[in-house]
Amino acid sequence: MTGRSGRHRETRPASLPARLWAARNSIAGQVFSVTAVIVLVLITAAALALVFQARYDSERGARDRSLAAAEAFAHAPGLPAALASADPTAALQPLAEGARRGSGVDFVAVMTTDGIRYTDSRPELIGQRATGDLARAAAGQSFTEVFRGDPSDAVRAVVPVRDARGTVVGLVATGIEVENVGHAVEGQLPLLLGAAAGALLLGTGGAALVSRRLRRQTRGLGAVEMARMNEHHEAVLHAVREGVLIVGADHRLLLANDEARRLLDLPPDAEQRYVGDLGLDPRTTELLLSGRVATDEVHLAGDRLLAVNVRPTEPFAGRPSGSVTTLRDTTELAALSGRAEVARERLQMLYEAGVRIGTTLDVVRTAEELSEVAVPRFADFVTVELLEPVLRGDEPSPGAGVHTRMRRAAMSGTRSDQPLQPVGDVIRFDVPTAPMATALAAGHAVLAADLHAAMGWRAQDEPGTKQALDYGFHSLISVPLQARGVVLGMANFWRAADTPEAFDEEDLSFAEELGARAAVSVDNARRFTREHATAVALQRSLLPRVLPELSAVDTAFRYLPATAGVGGDWFDVIPLPGTRVALVVGDVVGHGVHAAATMGRLRTAVHNFSTLDMPPDELLGHLDELTDRIDQLEDGDSGAGADGPGLTGDAEEPPAGITGATCLYAVYDPVSGHCTMASAGHPGPALVHPDGRVEFPELPTGLPLGVGGMPFETARLVLPEGSRLVLFTDGLLEDRHRDFDSGLALLSETLSRPGRSPEQACSDVLSAMLFPVPSDDIALLVADTRRLEPDRIAEWVVPDDPAAVSRVRREAAAQLRDWGLEEASFTAELILSELITNAIRYGNEPIRVRLLRDRALICEVADGSSTSPHLRYAATTDEGGRGLFLVAQYAERWGTRYTERGKVIWAELSPSGGEGQVPLEMDLDALEDLGW
C-alpha cells in the first residue's frame, strides 16, 4: 500500500507483548498467560521463603555463637576462684569485656546463681538482678532463648559455672541483641530481591519464547479450533476398519487406533512402550523394529492372519523418521493358513526326527532321541518302553505274554516333577482295555483324547493314574514300535496342563508316522548291539586273557577298543625254547566281527609259526603268504567259478579280504641280550634304557601283510640289562587331532619317567595319550627285559669223539648237583647222552652243549648240520632208532631250531625229574650205542 505521498508505508513488526496480546485467545497466548502467572507465584513464594530462611538462619547462628561464647567463658580457668574472691567485679569485668569483643557478641554477664550481675557490657547494670528465668542454669543446665525484656530484646545463652567439686557457683550469660540480628537479614534483602526480579524476568522471557514457538507450530489456532481438529482426527482414526500404528524413531509405539488394539490384543498402556515389550508375534516385532518397507506381508496374531503394510514417515527438523503401519484382518484365510503352518511344523519335525533319531546306534540313546524330538512341540511328556531282549540286542520272542511287561528306556518332559515311573522301571500292561495294551494288540496307534474317561488306563494302576490326573495329564497317544512286523516296544505321548488342547486324529497320524520312523532306528540299533556284543565276545575269546610268567621279561598290557566298535588290534607274548620270548603286536584295518575274526586267524597263525622257531623275517614271510592265500580264497580265485560251491550267482556278497594287516614280531634272548625283530608295515617299538633315555630304533619296515612281492628284513639289537621294550599300535599315537610324530614325542616324554613297573607305565601312557573319543583300537605291550645270570648257564664244546660223551655227561651231572637239581640229574644225563651221541654220529662240528637253569631245566645240543631229526618207532629187530623216542618220553618238551650255521636240538625237563624219570638201574653207557 502507498500513503498520500505515494511512498510505501513501512510495516514495523509489532512488539512481543503486543503480538501475545493479539493472540491472547490462541493456544500460544493462553500458554503464555498461565506460564507467566505460575512463574510470578513461584518466584514470590521463593523470595518469601528465602527471607524467612535467612531470618531463621541468622537467629540460629546468634544462638550458636552466644552459647559457644558462654561455654568458653564459663569454663575459663580461674573463673570459680574469681567468683569466690572479695571483689569479683574488679577481677572479672575486664575479662568479660575482652571476651565480648573477641567473640562478637553484644554482652557478656557474669552473675551469681540468683541472677545478680558481677559484670556487664553496661556498667550501670552491675549489681542488678537479671530478668528472666535463670532457674535451669542455677540447676546446672545450659540453655539458649530469645529474651524479651530489659534492658533489650536479645538472643541469650546462659551457662552455669562449676567449681572443682561440680557445684554451681555462678552463671555466665552472653547474647546478641535482636535488633542486630534483624540488621543482618536486612542486609541480604537487596540480593534476594534482585535475584527474584532476575528470575521473574527470565521466567517471563522463557514463557514468551515457548509461547512464540507454540504459536508457530499450532499456526495460531485457538482452543476451539484445536479441539475440533482433534475430534476429526480421532473420528477418522478410530472409525476406519484397518489398524493403524505409529512407531517413533526410538521404536516406541506413539499411537494405536482401536482396530489395531483389537487385532493385536494390545494392553491399555501400550502407547509409549517399546515395541519389543508389547508381546507381539516375533515376526511382527521384527518387522516393526526393522523400519523396512512392507506391502501386504502376512503375519499371525493369535488366531488371526493379518496383512501388514509399513511405510516410513518423512524426517522432521533433521531428526530420524518413524513409521506408520496399517493392519488388515484376513480372518477368512486364518484357518487355512493355520492348517498349513501346522502341516509345515509337522513336516519339519519329521525331518528333524530323521536327522536326530538313530545317530549313535545305541538302543537306549535312540529311545532318548525319540522322546526328545517330540517335546515340547508335539507333546508335554514322552515315555519310551522297550522289551528286555531289545535292550540286550536280541530278537524279541513272539511268545504269549511277552508284551505285557516292558522296561522304561527313556523319558522327556517339559518339567522334572512329573509323577510318571522313572527310567529303568518295569511297566506292565495287564488291563486289555488300556490304551497301551490296545495299541499293542491292534498293531497301530491308539488315541485316548480324555484320560478321565479312559477307564482301562485308570484301572491299570489306580493310585498312579489318580496322581497323574491330579498333576494335569489329560490326553494320550500310545504308539507300538514295530519293525519288520515285530514289536520292539512302544512310545507314549502325553499332554498335561501346559498344553490344554487334547490330541486329535491328525495328531494320531503324525504320532504313528513318528513311531514308525523311530522303530526302524531302534531295530538298527538293536541289530548293531547284537553284532557288537558278538564281536566283543569273539574278540575277548581271541585275545590273551593273561600273559605267561617268564624269566626273560616282566610284561603288562592294555587293550582299548575304538568307539566305533571292536577292531582288529592284537598282541601276544609267546615263550620260545631256550628261555627266549617272542613279543608280538599287530593291527587289522577295520572294525566289527570281520576284523576280530581276522585278528584271531592271524594270531593263531603266529602261534603256529612260532612253534617252528623261525627267525622273525621268515615268520612274517610265511604269515604274508598265508594272508595272500586267504584273500585269494575269499575272493573266489582258488579255481572255482563265481558260482562255485558256497556262492550262487549274486545271492551272497563274498566276504572282504584281510589285506591291510600289519605285524611286528620280536624275539628276545635273555642269555645273550639280543633282540631280533622284523616288521610288516607296523611302527617299531620304543626302547627305554635303564637311565630313562628313550629311543625308537631304526627298523626296516616291510609292506603290510597280504601285499606281497618284497621280502622282510631283520634288525638285531643288543639290549642293555634292565631295559624296557614298548610295543604299540598306531591308534595310541595318532588321531584326527594329533599326527604320528607328535604322538611319538609325547610317548617318549611319558616313558622317560623312571622307577615305574610295567603296570604303572601302561597306566601312565594311557593317561597321557588317550583321546577322549578314540577313533581306532589301542594295543599297548610293555616288557621289562632281564638277563639270565651267568651262574645259571653251563656250556661245553664236544670234540668229534664218542668217548667225550661220558665226560660231558659227568660234568653236566656235577653242574646239576651244584644247582641242587640232583633229582633231574639222571634224566638229564640220559637225554644228553642221546643228543650228543647222535650229534657226533650224524652231525658236523662244531658241537656244543648248553644247560640253562630257568623255570625248567633246558638241555641244548648244537651242531653244524641242518639235517632235521625225526621221531620214529623202531622195530623189535632194529638195533637203533630209539634215541629220540627216549628223549620225547622223558622230556616235558623237545624240538629243533635252526641257526645260521646248523641246528639246535633242545629238551626241557622238570627240575624235580618229572613223572617219567628213568629207572636208576638203567645203564646209560649202554644207551650210547642206540641210534636215532
Side-chain angles (χ1 to χ4, degrees):
M1 297 177 66
T2 59
R4 295 178 180 177
S5 59
R7 298 181 180 178
H8 290 279
R9 293 182 179 179
E10 294 183 0
T11 303
R12 297 181 180 180
S15 62
L16 179 59
R19 290 198 301 273
L20 291 177
W21 178 257
R24 61 187 181 277
N25 294 325
S26 66
I27 296 295
Q30 295 176 16
V31 168
F32 171 75
S33 302
V34 173
T35 304
V37 172
I38 292 174
V39 169
L40 180 60
V41 171
L42 290 177
I43 291 175
T44 303
L48 292 176
L50 287 174
V51 170
F52 286 114
Q53 182 66 35
R55 185 171 185 83
Y56 172 78
D57 291 344
S58 298
E59 182 178 326
R60 185 174 184 81
R63 286 175 180 266
D64 294 340
R65 287 167 54 196
S66 299
L67 181 60
E71 289 281 359
F73 196 81
H75 292 84
L79 183 59
L83 289 173
S85 64
D87 189 3
T89 299
L92 295 175
Q93 179 66 15
L95 298 176
E97 284 300 308
R100 181 184 65 81
R101 289 191 296 271
S103 60
V105 297
D106 290 334
F107 62 89
V108 175
V110 181
M111 300 174 289
T112 63
T113 56
D114 55 357
I116 303 300
R117 295 185 178 91
Y118 286 136
T119 68
D120 198 276
S121 56
R122 297 181 181 180
E124 66 274 12
L125 297 179
I126 296 176
Q128 296 183 15
R129 182 182 300 275
T131 58
D133 184 11
L134 303 178
R136 288 183 292 171
Q141 178 182 357
S142 300
F143 66 90
T144 61
E145 64 179 355
V146 179
F147 174 74
R148 306 289 182 179
D150 295 331
S152 61
D153 298 339
V155 177
R156 182 175 67 174
V158 183
V159 177
V161 179
R162 299 177 185 271
D163 60 7
R165 293 175 297 178
T167 303
V168 177
V169 296
L171 304 176
V172 175
T174 62
I176 300 174
E177 295 181 356
V178 173
E179 182 179 358
N180 294 334
V181 175
H183 291 332
V185 175
E186 292 172 359
Q188 299 179 12
L189 285 178
L191 178 61
L192 294 175
L193 295 177
L200 180 60
L201 181 61
L202 290 176
T204 306
L209 293 177
V210 170
S211 178
R212 179 181 180 183
R213 182 177 181 84
L214 182 60
R215 188 170 65 88
R216 185 171 63 251
Q217 293 180 350
T218 59
R219 304 181 184 277
L221 294 177
V224 176
E225 290 85 354
M226 294 290 290
R228 292 182 62 189
M229 181 180 292
N230 182 66
E231 290 173 0
H232 296 163
H233 168 267
E234 292 291 332
V236 172
L237 184 64
H238 297 292
V240 295
R241 295 302 307 271
E242 287 192 358
V244 178
L245 299 176
I246 299 179
V247 179
D250 57 354
H251 299 141
R252 293 186 178 274
L253 181 62
L254 301 180
L255 185 143
N257 68 347
D258 294 342
E259 184 70 5
R261 292 178 181 274
R262 184 184 69 83
L263 295 177
L264 298 178
D265 194 19
L266 296 176
D269 59 343
E271 293 181 355
Q272 300 304 322
R273 288 177 58 180
Y274 183 66
V275 171
D277 298 335
L278 297 177
L280 303 180
D281 180 76
R283 290 184 62 242
T284 306
T285 302
E286 185 275 332
L287 175 61
L288 296 179
L289 293 176
S290 66
R292 60 184 175 87
V293 175
T295 302
D296 288 336
E297 282 194 12
V298 179
H299 289 255
L300 284 174
D303 58 349
R304 297 183 179 91
L305 197 64
L306 305 180
V308 182
N309 295 272
V310 181
R311 293 294 185 272
T313 58
E314 293 294 332
F316 176 73
R319 291 178 296 181
S321 63
S323 62
V324 176
T325 303
T326 60
L327 312 169
R328 187 173 63 257
D329 188 1
T330 56
T331 307
E332 297 176 355
L333 300 177
L336 179 60
S337 175
R339 289 195 295 271
E341 182 66 18
V342 170
R344 185 190 66 81
E345 290 183 359
R346 297 291 168 83
L347 290 175
Q348 180 68 22
M349 287 179 60
L350 289 176
Y351 170 76
E352 292 182 8
V355 173
R356 293 175 55 183
I357 299 177
T359 59
T360 61
L361 291 179
D362 179 81
V363 174
V364 174
R365 180 57 192 154
T366 302
E368 291 174 350
E369 290 168 343
L370 168 59
S371 66
E372 292 168 357
V373 78
V375 175
R377 290 184 294 174
F378 178 67
D380 296 329
F381 296 91
V382 176
T383 59
V384 181
E385 291 80 38
L386 298 177
L387 295 170
E388 292 283 359
V390 175
L391 291 171
R392 298 192 300 267
D394 299 333
E395 185 82 16
S397 173
V402 296
H403 297 159
T404 59
R405 60 193 307 270
M406 297 181 183
R407 188 170 298 276
R408 181 150 290 167
M411 179 169 58
S412 295
T414 55
R415 291 184 289 177
S416 59
D417 60 342
Q418 42 75 26
L420 300 174
Q421 291 179 253
V423 173
D425 276 14
V426 174
I427 311 298
R428 303 187 63 86
F429 311 112
D430 298 328
V431 179
T433 56
M436 299 83 166
T438 303
L440 291 172
H444 59 76
V446 171
L447 168 64
D450 185 5
L451 288 178
H452 292 82
M455 296 305 173
W457 174 73
R458 299 182 64 174
Q460 184 166 272
D461 178 14
E462 292 186 5
T465 54
K466 183 179 184 305
Q467 189 177 4
L469 292 173
D470 293 341
Y471 183 82
F473 285 90
H474 61 82
S475 189
L476 166 68
I477 295 178
S478 296
V479 181
L481 302 179
Q482 302 179 92
R484 299 175 291 106
V486 178
V487 174
L488 306 175
M490 71 177 314
N492 294 300
F493 302 90
W494 309 79
R495 280 186 180 173
D498 293 341
T499 306
E501 297 83 6
F503 287 116
D504 55 22
E505 293 297 329
E506 293 185 1
D507 296 326
L508 181 68
S509 301
F510 172 76
E512 194 157 24
E513 176 67 21
L514 185 61
R517 297 193 179 196
V520 175
S521 298
V522 171
D523 190 52
N524 290 337
R526 178 196 63 79
R527 299 170 72 178
F528 174 80
T529 301
R530 181 180 60 183
E531 179 181 348
H532 180 73
T534 303
V536 169
L538 176 63
Q539 185 195 43
R540 289 178 177 175
S541 66
L542 295 177
L543 283 173
R545 301 287 182 89
V546 294
L547 298 181
E549 295 185 3
L550 303 173
S551 300
V553 291
D554 182 15
T555 57
F557 69 92
R558 293 290 188 275
Y559 181 85
L560 295 177
T563 54
V566 174
D569 290 12
W570 94 92
F571 60 92
D572 222 330
V573 177
I574 305 173
L576 297 179
T579 70
R580 296 169 304 134
V581 62
L583 304 175
V584 190
V585 65
D587 186 2
V588 176
V589 176
H591 297 89
V593 175
H594 178 72
T598 300
M599 175 270 292
R601 298 165 80 176
L602 294 180
R603 179 170 177 252
T604 302
V606 171
H607 265 273
N608 293 336
F609 290 141
S610 67
T611 59
L612 301 178
D613 215 344
M614 297 179 179
D617 55 341
E618 292 186 21
L619 185 143
L620 290 182
H622 286 286
L623 192 63
D624 178 62
E625 182 181 354
L626 174 64
T627 303
D628 184 60
R629 189 181 313 121
I630 292 175
D631 283 343
Q632 292 178 4
L633 292 175
E634 291 187 346
D635 288 341
D637 296 337
S638 59
D643 298 330
L647 291 175
T648 305
D650 57 353
E652 183 179 351
E653 183 181 352
I658 60 176
T659 302
T662 64
C663 182
L664 174 65
Y665 187 85
V667 177
Y668 173 66
D669 187 353
V671 177
S672 62
H674 290 167
C675 182
T676 307
M677 61 184 71
S679 171
H682 200 87
L687 175 59
V688 184
H689 291 264
D691 58 358
R693 181 169 53 89
V694 180
E695 67 171 317
F696 297 92
E698 292 290 338
L699 184 66
T701 304
L703 296 175
L705 299 175
V707 177
M710 296 294 292
F712 298 97
E713 299 183 48
T714 299
R716 186 184 299 271
L717 305 175
V718 178
L719 302 185
E721 187 173 357
S723 59
R724 171 176 290 173
L725 274 177
V726 180
L727 286 71
F728 49 85
T729 56
D730 56 1
L732 179 68
L733 302 181
E734 58 183 352
D735 196 82
R736 292 187 297 270
H737 307 294
R738 186 171 67 204
D739 58 20
F740 189 84
D741 293 336
S742 300
L744 281 181
L746 183 57
L747 177 63
S748 175
E749 179 184 354
T750 307
L751 292 175
S752 62
R753 304 168 189 166
R756 294 168 303 159
S757 66
E759 282 288 340
Q760 292 172 336
C762 286
S763 299
D764 291 348
V765 168
L766 290 186
S767 298
M769 306 194 65
L770 186 62
F771 297 95
V773 183
S775 59
D776 197 2
D777 296 1
I778 295 175
L780 175 65
L781 180 62
V782 177
D784 282 358
T785 62
R786 303 192 188 99
R787 288 287 186 91
L788 193 64
E789 295 85 348
D791 58 359
R792 292 175 173 264
I793 305 171
E795 293 184 284
W796 296 272
V797 177
V798 182
D800 191 7
D801 182 3
V805 177
S806 298
R807 177 183 61 81
V808 174
R809 189 177 67 235
R810 288 191 298 272
E811 293 178 358
Q815 181 65 61
L816 293 178
R817 285 194 298 273
D818 294 341
W819 285 345
L821 301 178
E822 293 86 350
E823 295 181 1
S825 177
F826 205 87
T827 305
E829 290 182 56
L830 169 63
I831 292 175
L832 286 176
S833 296
E834 293 303 322
L835 296 181
I836 296 173
T837 300
N838 284 284
I840 293 175
R841 288 182 178 180
Y842 304 108
N844 300 325
E845 291 184 322
I847 301 173
R848 294 180 179 273
V849 175
R850 186 170 70 172
L851 293 180
L852 302 176
R853 178 191 170 195
D854 193 38
R855 298 176 184 269
L857 177 63
I858 303 172
C859 304
E860 296 181 345
V861 177
D863 67 83
S865 171
S866 59
T867 303
S868 175
H870 297 281
L871 178 66
R872 65 186 179 90
Y873 290 95
T876 55
T877 58
D878 291 342
E879 295 182 359
R882 297 177 179 84
L884 278 185
F885 180 79
L886 291 175
V887 172
Q889 287 296 311
Y890 294 106
E892 291 190 347
R893 293 196 309 154
W894 76 279
T896 303
R897 73 173 182 269
Y898 294 92
T899 63
E900 294 179 357
R901 298 182 180 180
K903 66 179 180 296
V904 176
I905 301 177
W906 56 270
E908 288 188 5
L909 289 76
S910 172
S912 62
E915 297 180 357
Q917 186 172 357
V918 180
L920 296 179
E921 63 272 11
M922 183 176 288
D923 185 2
L924 296 180
D925 291 331
L927 290 176
E928 295 176 2
D929 296 332
L930 296 177
W932 287 48

